[in-house]
Amino acid sequence: MLLTLEQSNDGLKITELVRRSNVPYVRLTEILEELEKKGLIRQINGEEGQVYIITQKGIKFLNEYRKFSKFAEGFGFEI
Amino acid sequence: MVTTVEQISLLISIIATAIITFTSFYGYLKVESKTLLREGIAFLIIMLGLLSDFITPYLGFYFEAVGFLLIGLEHIKELNENLAPLIIIPYVAGGTIAIFFSLYAGIETLLYYQKTKRLTNLLVGTGLILVSFSIFMQIINYFTTLGYIVQALGYLIMLSSLVR
């Protein structure tokens, strides 16, 4: 989810996130709420209404995730 | 501990495992990955085992066994979630003993070859090590066909020593 949002500069509507992630709407809402609570994403008023964007904290988290993912892969694990 | 070389080598191992342990726990705190937490616990146990070697030689093997079991289980989890921990399956336990003794016999035979320089010792030793390796491949159910091929090759090499 964070990766998808990172690639979008203007943010994405929830309908677009459902389409791209292939996650059911209800489940996606739960995930987005959790990510928002952690401060990794936030909602803003875009040109096409409410959109989700990744925060600086989210970008930092993704970078850490990539770093540790590579570390775990070295041992044959997926994190 | 007998020599300084052994102590230095052990110290290097401890430092290396400490760094892996720290990185795993730090990664867990940063990205909340339970895989990293389990990896950290496994390497912490291994590191404790290495540390215990300074106090009681060979005690560390027990810690290392637990640590590597945790790492093995993590791999099993990723390969097939329905697979039970290998070590509790009777045929695996039997296979593990077979691996140990075939490997041991192989190494002993190769050491004997160093003294005798007889080709038969080299062939039997190599055959035994191949058989040991083939049992391992069969146990993990990953390269089963290759495991049987290696096993046949191992016994053929042993047999060739008789043919000579």
Side-chain angles (χ1 to χ4, degrees), chain B residues 8-118:
Chain B
I8 292 168
S9 303
L10 189 57
L11 202 63
I12 291 168
S13 303
I14 290 166
I15 292 167
T17 48
I19 292 168
I20 296 170
T21 305
F22 174 78
T23 311
S24 301
F25 283 138
Y26 184 68
Y28 166 68
L29 290 174
K30 284 282 173 184
V31 299
E32 294 176 18
S33 159
K34 283 182 181 160
T35 302
L36 288 174
L37 175 66
R38 288 191 286 265
E39 188 180 333
I41 292 169
F43 274 100
L44 178 69
I45 293 169
I46 293 167
M47 187 188 74
L48 289 174
L50 294 169
L51 275 169
S52 74
D53 274 348
F54 276 115
I55 307 156
T56 314
Y58 309 121
L59 178 68
F61 287 150
Y62 295 99
F63 286 89
E64 284 176 77
V66 176
F68 286 118
L69 175 69
L70 290 178
I71 292 172
L73 290 176
E74 195 61 36
H75 278 289
I76 291 164
K77 195 172 88 34
E78 295 210 355
L79 283 172
N80 185 350
E81 289 189 354
N82 297 320
L83 205 66
L86 281 177
I87 203 72
I88 65 164
I89 303 171
Y91 85 86
V92 176
T96 308
I97 296 167
I99 289 172
F100 175 77
F101 284 114
S102 53
L103 190 65
Y104 177 74
I107 291 167
E108 282 287 352
T109 315
L110 288 180
L111 288 174
Y112 191 61
Y113 163 75
Q114 279 198 315
K115 277 187 202 165
T116 63
K117 297 290 173 197
R118 278 189 214 134

Side-chain angles (χ1 to χ4, degrees), chain A residues 15-78:
Chain A
T15 46
E16 184 59 20
L17 281 169
V18 170
R19 195 183 67 79
R20 291 199 194 183
S21 63
N22 209 18
V23 175
Y25 184 86
V26 178
R27 177 73 190 118
L28 185 76
T29 314
E30 288 169 3
I31 295 169
L32 291 173
E33 267 177 26
E34 203 181 321
L35 292 175
E36 208 172 355
K37 215 184 281 175
K38 288 182 176 176
L40 303 176
I41 61 169
R42 68 187 170 93
Q43 287 188 75
I44 57 160
N45 285 315
E47 286 174 10
E48 295 172 16
Q50 286 283 75
V51 290
Y52 284 97
I53 59 160
I54 190 166
T55 61
Q56 277 304 312
K57 193 180 174 188
I59 293 168
K60 205 176 159 193
F61 176 87
L62 262 185
N63 290 336
E64 297 278 10
Y65 183 86
R66 286 193 186 101
K67 198 166 72 185
F68 288 109
S69 185
K70 212 179 252 183
F71 168 75
E73 274 171 22
F75 292 91
F77 303 137
E78 279 177 24

Side-chain angles (χ1 to χ4, degrees), chain B residues 143-156:
Chain B
F143 301 109
T144 312
T145 311
L146 189 64
Y148 279 107
I149 295 168
V150 173
Q151 186 180 47
L153 194 67
Y155 283 119
L156 277 176

